[in-house]
Amino acid sequence: AAKIHHQPLTPLRAEKIRVMAGMRTPQLDKLAAWPTTLLSLPSGIPIGLTMPRVIDHKDIHHLYSPKSRRAEFVGADWRFLIRVAANLSRAVATIHDANGVIADINHSGVLVSQDARVRLIDCDSFQIVDAGKTYLCDVGVPTFTPPELQGLLFAEIVRTPNHDNFGLAVLTFLTLFMGRHPLAGRYIGLGEMPIERAIGEGRFAY
């Protein structure tokens, strides 16, 4: 598959894609839609990348939502959910072993097959380290972001595997507990309690 941007890539972004393509391993290809080549116009201007096309997989939120699970993952039981959670953990660990950090870990970046296999997508946004140089991830979803990073500018932060572990814990909870966010609850104080604020204040009700 090809991912083509509306605007040319910056030199740093193009360099990151080249580096990621050179980091490919069989282990990464098995678990992630890892960048394979940098796409450029005939003039040499970089405009995108190619990656493996993932087929026969569905967004993980179709699995953890009870209503869509009945339609999209017929027969999925508790054992199936446990296998998916375990496979997701292994996939994240594989990225970490390759000097990568998913950084923007969230429900839209994980696909699940009918046999509980997991594939990670949107890999070009991952934070990676090569030859001592860190290529940052400048995006993130607040409801999957650990408390110490809430409200900070992602483009200026070097994230760690432990930051990924928070997002992984949220995804695991969503998968095992019917799509409920672990820090969602009925706030009995004054005003609103959005999930990102509840994360920052450690309001885990369980």
Side-chain angles (χ1 to χ4, degrees):
K3 180 177 182 179
I4 300 174
H5 292 253
H6 294 292
Q7 300 295 328
L9 303 184
T10 65
L12 181 62
R13 187 67 181 271
E15 179 184 340
K16 179 183 180 181
I17 299 303
R18 290 193 191 96
V19 168
M20 292 189 76
M23 294 171 61
R24 286 180 64 203
T25 65
Q27 291 77 18
L28 289 172
D29 280 345
K30 184 178 179 181
L31 297 167
W34 199 260
T36 55
T37 57
L38 178 70
L39 281 179
S40 300
L41 296 172
S43 61
I45 297 175
I47 58 168
L49 63 141
T50 60
M51 70 199 84
R53 181 177 175 223
V54 181
I55 59 174
D56 299 327
H57 288 60
K58 298 178 180 179
D59 292 341
I60 193 170
H61 67 80
H62 289 305
L63 173 66
Y64 65 61
S65 171
K67 183 177 180 180
S68 60
R69 184 192 308 163
R70 288 193 293 270
E72 305 288 349
F73 288 90
V74 179
D77 57 9
W78 179 253
R79 293 170 297 178
F80 186 91
L81 300 181
I82 292 292
R83 288 205 307 274
V84 168
N87 287 337
L88 176 59
S89 296
R90 294 185 185 100
V92 172
T94 298
I95 302 301
H96 294 168
D97 289 343
N99 284 330
V101 174
I102 297 173
D104 182 25
I105 186 168
N106 66 79
H107 61 278
S108 66
V110 179
L111 303 180
V112 181
S113 71
Q114 294 296 328
D115 60 0
R117 287 180 297 168
V118 167
R119 291 289 293 272
L120 305 176
I121 60 172
D122 291 333
C123 302
D124 54 303
S125 69
F126 290 4
Q127 175 186 288
I128 60 168
V129 177
D130 180 71
K133 183 173 182 178
T134 300
Y135 298 85
L136 300 177
C137 170
D138 59 4
V139 291
V141 176
T143 52
F144 290 84
T145 299
E148 64 272 20
L149 300 186
Q150 288 290 333
L152 300 184
L153 188 61
F154 294 129
E156 299 177 352
I157 299 171
V158 176
R159 285 179 263 189
T160 69
N162 199 44
H163 292 142
D164 273 358
N165 291 342
F166 182 88
L168 174 61
V170 171
L171 264 179
T172 300
F173 196 96
L174 287 165
T175 301
L176 300 181
F177 293 95
M178 299 183 291
R180 184 173 186 83
H181 193 284
L183 284 100
R186 189 167 67 89
Y187 183 53
I188 60 175
L190 298 176
E192 299 295 324
M193 179 56 66
I195 290 178
E196 49 265 45
R197 179 183 164 193
I199 291 173
E201 296 180 6
R203 292 180 176 272
F204 180 64
Y206 302 92

